[in-house]
Amino acid sequence: MTPGMAVENDNTVMALEAQMYQKGVKHLCDNGLNKLPSKYVLPNSDRPDAYKSAHLDVPVALELPVIDFSQLYGPNRRYVLRSLTKACEEYGFFQIINHGISNDVISNMREVCSKFFELPYEERAKYMSSDMHATVRYGTSFNQNKDNVYCWRDFLKLTCNPNLHELLSGWPSSPSGFKDSASTYAEETQGLFLSLVEAILESLAGDMEKDENLLNEFERGSQLMVVNCYPQCPEPELTLGMPPHSDYGFLTLLLQDQVEGLQIHYQQKWVTVQPLPNSFVVNIGDHLEIFSNGRYKSVLHRVVVNAKKARMSVATLHSLPFDSTIKPWPKLVNEQNPRLYKDTDFGIFLDYITSCEPKRKNFLDSRKIIY
Ligand code: OGA
Ligand code: NI
């Protein structure tokens, strides 16, 4: 064989492999795997335990502040609002219990999502799209078109609101019951978001006076749902399920399994969030950091994967309508507190993430005003 032929064969193998990785991690695992392909191997400095080897006292497990949602509607509202403020300022994350979404709604959602990822690859592939604007999008990694190293994650992304009932016709029709369970879940999480946002506005303003116009805008707001599937990984210490990122919206509600995986950047360390049964993890997104003029923090987080257990999560990302301008709440800006962020909107965000590798929290940085 001449050297030229060897190169050609190498190229063919690489092209075939590249096609394989485009099909996602689930597909890769279903074909049997005992070693992590190089496409998923992160450089040393980005690996999950890079910090651990440098600083032996980490990582630590973190019990996020717990907010009892039902207490918001009783005599303890003021006290709960204070805990909420503290959680948003210090962690950018909290967990809510007694949130009022029934076990049935949640277990139906979990069931149809696992069944979706169990479908034959060809069925899931119907929803693949490289268009970031697509309202239904199945894919792999974080930013499939841009990532050099892939993440150990497949996902299904659905735009839910505004206009859930119109969007629903494009959602997966298989497995049976998917549309029903997922749309009920979308409605219930949207309702929960609206109650949370009301509490958050009250906590920021420090008074009970409702801004009805703003609340109405949230009612017409945007909602995206991302179902994340992290299969068992043969060498979890070399890769990540999701790289460090912050979420773009106002709030994210995350339903996770009782399997550890989510880590947040807290006091310069990566700490693992201890899953709490029957709860949602809630985190502040970039829009709320901007809206609160920097008081509530949109915190970096990432996902580590696991050799023993697959993990699934459902994130719903909620914000104002897609065409709204996001800016610091005028109530919070005055001479002593000048505005710290430029106006932004969903279009600016999409342009930003399609033009660069969203590796760090750089979108929000790009909106900061430096005095
Ligand atoms: C997200 C996210 C965390 C997880 O979807 O933005 O951060 O545990 N998910 O899946
Ligand atoms: Ni996130």
Side-chain angles (χ1 to χ4, degrees), residues 93 142 153 226 228 230 242 245-247 252 254-256 261-263 283 301-303 311-315 317:
F93 270 82
F142 193 62
R153 163 211 188 213
V226 189
N228 298 301
Y230 308 100
M242 254 201 235
H245 68 280
S246 62
D247 294 348
T252 301
L254 182 80
L255 175 69
Q256 58 167 346
L262 175 64
Q263 296 191 325
N283 65 293
H301 51 286
R302 69 180 190 183
V303 176
R311 178 168 175 270
M312 200 177 66
S313 70
V314 183
L317 286 76

Side-chain angles (χ1 to χ4, degrees), residues 251-324:
L251 289 180
T252 301
L253 268 54
L254 182 80
L255 175 69
Q256 58 167 346
D257 295 342
Q258 287 306 108
V259 179
E260 287 177 5
L262 175 64
Q263 296 191 325
I264 73 171
H265 204 230
Y266 177 67
Q267 295 182 345
Q268 310 304 317
K269 296 175 199 164
W270 286 109
V271 293
T272 300
V273 173
Q274 294 292 107
L276 184 70
N278 305 318
S279 72
F280 284 94
V281 173
V282 182
N283 65 293
I284 309 298
D286 294 351
H287 288 174
L288 180 48
E289 178 167 328
I290 293 173
F291 182 85
S292 71
N293 203 28
R295 185 162 162 208
Y296 289 177
K297 298 286 183 282
S298 171
V299 166
L300 280 180
H301 51 286
R302 69 180 190 183
V303 176
V304 295
V305 288
N306 193 305
K308 295 199 188 79
K309 287 184 184 155
R311 178 168 175 270
M312 200 177 66
S313 70
V314 183
T316 49
L317 286 76
H318 306 256
S319 191
L320 288 164
F322 288 120
D323 55 3
S324 288

